[in-house]
Amino acid sequence: MGEALAPSTPDVAISLRDVSKRFRLYRGRQVSTVKDLFVRIFVGGGSGPGLFSGEELWALHDVSLELGRGRMVGIIGSNGSGKSTLLKILGGILKPTAGQVAVRGRVSALIELGAGFHPEFSGRENIYVNGVLLGLSRAEIRARFDEIVAFAGLEAFVDSPVKTYSSGMYMRLGFAIAVTVDPDVLLIDEVLAVGDESFQHRCIGKIQEFKARGKTVVLVSHDLGSIERLCDEAVWLDQGRLQLHGETREVVGRYLDHVAREEARALGVEHAQAEALARTSGATRWGTREVELTSVQLAGADGRERYLFETGEACAVRLAFRTHRPIADPVFGVGVFRKDGICCYGTNTALEGLAFGKVDGDGAVTMAIERLDLVEGEYLLDVAVHARDGHPYDYHSRLYAFAVRSRVRDTGVARLAHRWRLEPGAGDGS
């Protein structure tokens, strides 16, 4: 069982030593109430021990961290990496299975939308209930009540049941309570994404004010741009294990490298499956096969096979072929489609005025793309070889997947080469 320990120095707000958390997995629907337990045992014919599958899930493994006062720390990682579990342990919502945890001062947690609110209670009543749970006296809550309501912008709704609130209203009220109780440590799990632009700016202003006053903020988010913009340091978890803790930009960069490697591996597997499908499926491949496309590969500037690119990188599409008799001047083509079916680009050797003459036997044609100026997204390739009159020898329809990644969040299909220039004082002359 986990236990508490004192932070090692006054400058340390949060300390974890070898913290692990285990969950037991249930068979069928999870038992969460006494009623569930009664139904499972006496109606469903189950038994107490039999409610569990016997399997265990370790959400955290031997995590050790020290987070300083006055710091904003981002926790990043893929789904299921243990981020929310760690935050709940810091907030005292969960107890660690093993290890030691220490958090200095009052903790306020905004972890799940609407958590801690009773749906039948009004906003006013929920403010008092949550304030008491966070350690405030009724007098302290009364003194801060108007500030909470004003920050949340709920003056007209404070006496309505919170079950009538929108998700944005829930979030605004939860955040207003969490920050107005003046905690020493504020824990936030993704919920800021629910608020509108104006409220998010107010939240960020309040968080920055907290930091300036020596408070500690821990933020879990998949929005890596916000993590880089707001956080002094970052923690990367993967499958419950601490991978890296340090300066935000370095941690985010290392995490993105890891994601890219995993995505590239998955795309490679998908490509191999597509080639196997091309050998058997008539729905995605057709033609008379006098010329047969035997292999389709993408490669980077170094010639190595890959299926994940950065916008603007060089790319090559290599089509290996085999002819079963001499063929006069076959035409090779490549089309690039978004996964939603939008055609991004298509060309072939005939359109570009190329003629290969008579081909016979095995060979390969490579389309070298100097800059793959597509915006970030998932794409599919059409590849084909056909006669000059359009007769299809071998057509592979949208079988081969690749992805483009970019740190610039532009939109559309292609990134057009451009520059911005400011001309002070250059008006329209009117």
Side-chain angles (χ1 to χ4, degrees):
M1 175 65 69
E3 55 186 280
L5 74 159
S8 55
T9 71
D11 291 331
V12 174
I14 295 171
S15 180
L16 296 93
R17 188 181 303 162
D18 300 324
V19 169
S20 298
K21 179 61 182 177
R22 177 190 62 204
F23 293 100
R24 296 182 69 181
L25 301 182
Y26 292 84
R27 202 171 48 225
R29 189 167 68 89
Q30 182 169 334
V31 174
S32 56
T33 66
V34 173
K35 179 182 175 183
D36 286 342
L37 186 63
F38 178 85
V39 170
R40 290 289 296 276
I41 294 176
F42 295 102
V43 178
S47 62
L51 297 174
F52 300 102
S53 67
E55 298 180 40
E56 297 177 340
L57 171 67
W58 286 89
L60 293 174
H61 296 268
D62 300 324
V63 175
S64 295
L65 279 174
E66 285 195 343
L67 306 179
R69 293 179 64 248
R71 306 285 286 174
M72 185 162 181
V73 182
I75 302 180
I76 63 175
S78 59
N79 289 329
S81 61
K83 304 184 300 296
S84 295
T85 299
L86 177 59
L87 216 61
K88 289 176 180 178
I89 286 175
L90 295 180
I93 298 168
L94 295 175
K95 294 292 185 184
T97 305
Q100 299 172 310
V101 181
V103 181
R104 187 184 296 277
R106 176 182 285 162
V107 179
S108 188
L110 193 59
I111 292 180
E112 293 179 3
L113 194 62
F117 290 153
H118 193 296
E120 301 293 339
F121 290 178
S122 67
R124 182 186 301 273
E125 292 164 331
N126 273 291
I127 289 172
Y128 276 91
V129 170
N130 275 266
V132 169
L133 292 174
L134 291 168
L136 298 182
S137 66
R138 289 185 63 84
E140 288 175 313
I141 299 169
R142 272 195 303 272
R144 301 177 192 187
F145 181 85
D146 290 341
E147 180 186 354
I148 292 171
V149 175
F151 190 90
L154 295 175
E155 292 90 343
F157 307 98
V158 70
D159 290 309
S160 300
V162 298
K163 69 180 180 181
T164 65
Y165 286 10
S166 68
S167 58
M169 293 164 73
Y170 260 110
M171 195 281 296
R172 281 151 46 198
L173 182 59
F175 188 87
I177 295 170
V179 298
T180 309
V181 300
D182 196 28
D184 299 292
V185 176
L186 177 62
L187 310 175
I188 305 172
D189 188 359
E190 206 65 80
V191 293
L192 289 184
V194 178
D196 59 29
E197 194 74 15
S198 173
F199 189 74
Q200 286 185 23
H201 289 160
R202 290 162 63 195
C203 292
I204 291 169
K206 179 64 76 171
I207 288 169
Q208 290 170 338
E209 175 193 322
F210 262 51
K211 285 175 56 182
R213 292 167 51 205
K215 310 289 187 177
T216 302
V217 182
V218 182
L219 170 66
V220 165
S221 181
H222 289 287
D223 183 353
L224 299 181
S226 293
I227 294 287
E228 286 190 308
R229 187 169 64 253
L230 297 173
C231 296
D232 306 301
E233 56 193 86
V235 172
W236 167 25
L237 295 176
D238 184 53
Q239 296 183 348
R241 300 184 185 277
L242 175 63
Q243 298 298 311
L244 191 62
H245 174 209
E247 190 270 328
T248 303
R249 190 170 296 276
E250 179 188 358
V251 175
V252 170
R254 294 270 293 275
Y255 169 64
L256 287 174
D257 288 344
H258 167 77
V259 170
R261 287 194 300 271
E262 290 298 302
E263 192 171 11
R265 182 188 62 78
L267 285 167
V269 171
E270 187 176 345
H271 185 84
Q273 292 171 340
E275 289 202 312
L277 181 63
R279 289 191 287 269
T280 60
S281 174
T284 54
R285 183 182 185 183
W286 62 87
T288 54
R289 307 284 180 91
E290 287 96 332
V291 186
E292 187 174 357
L293 296 175
T294 57
S295 174
V296 178
Q297 292 184 341
L298 276 74
D302 59 1
R304 294 183 179 178
E305 183 179 1
R306 53 191 285 208
Y307 300 94
L308 180 65
F309 298 87
E310 291 286 326
T311 296
E313 277 193 295
C315 171
V317 182
R318 184 177 185 274
L319 310 179
F321 65 86
R322 173 174 298 146
T323 65
H324 298 287
R325 63 176 177 82
I327 298 292
D329 198 16
V331 177
F332 294 87
V334 172
V336 178
F337 291 79
R338 285 196 326 208
K339 280 204 168 178
D340 61 3
I342 297 295
C343 180
C344 304
Y345 184 70
T347 190
N348 64 45
T349 54
L351 289 174
E352 300 193 24
L354 300 176
F356 294 126
K358 184 176 290 187
V359 297
D360 192 10
D362 293 349
V365 173
T366 298
M367 177 184 176
I369 302 170
E370 293 181 6
R371 290 182 55 88
L372 189 62
D373 284 326
L374 296 170
V375 301
E376 177 167 314
E378 313 291 324
Y379 297 90
L380 295 168
L381 282 181
D382 264 20
V383 295
V385 55
H386 57 81
R388 283 272 172 175
D389 62 5
H391 172 78
Y393 295 132
D394 198 2
Y395 198 112
H396 299 203
S397 177
R398 303 182 201 179
L399 272 174
Y400 306 105
F402 70 99
V404 176
R405 294 290 171 256
S406 173
R407 300 300 292 274
V408 179
R409 300 301 183 206
D410 40 12
T411 60
V413 174
R415 176 174 298 166
L416 304 182
H418 66 278
R419 290 195 302 269
W420 292 95
R421 183 176 68 251
L422 173 65
E423 299 179 30
D428 59 7
S430 60

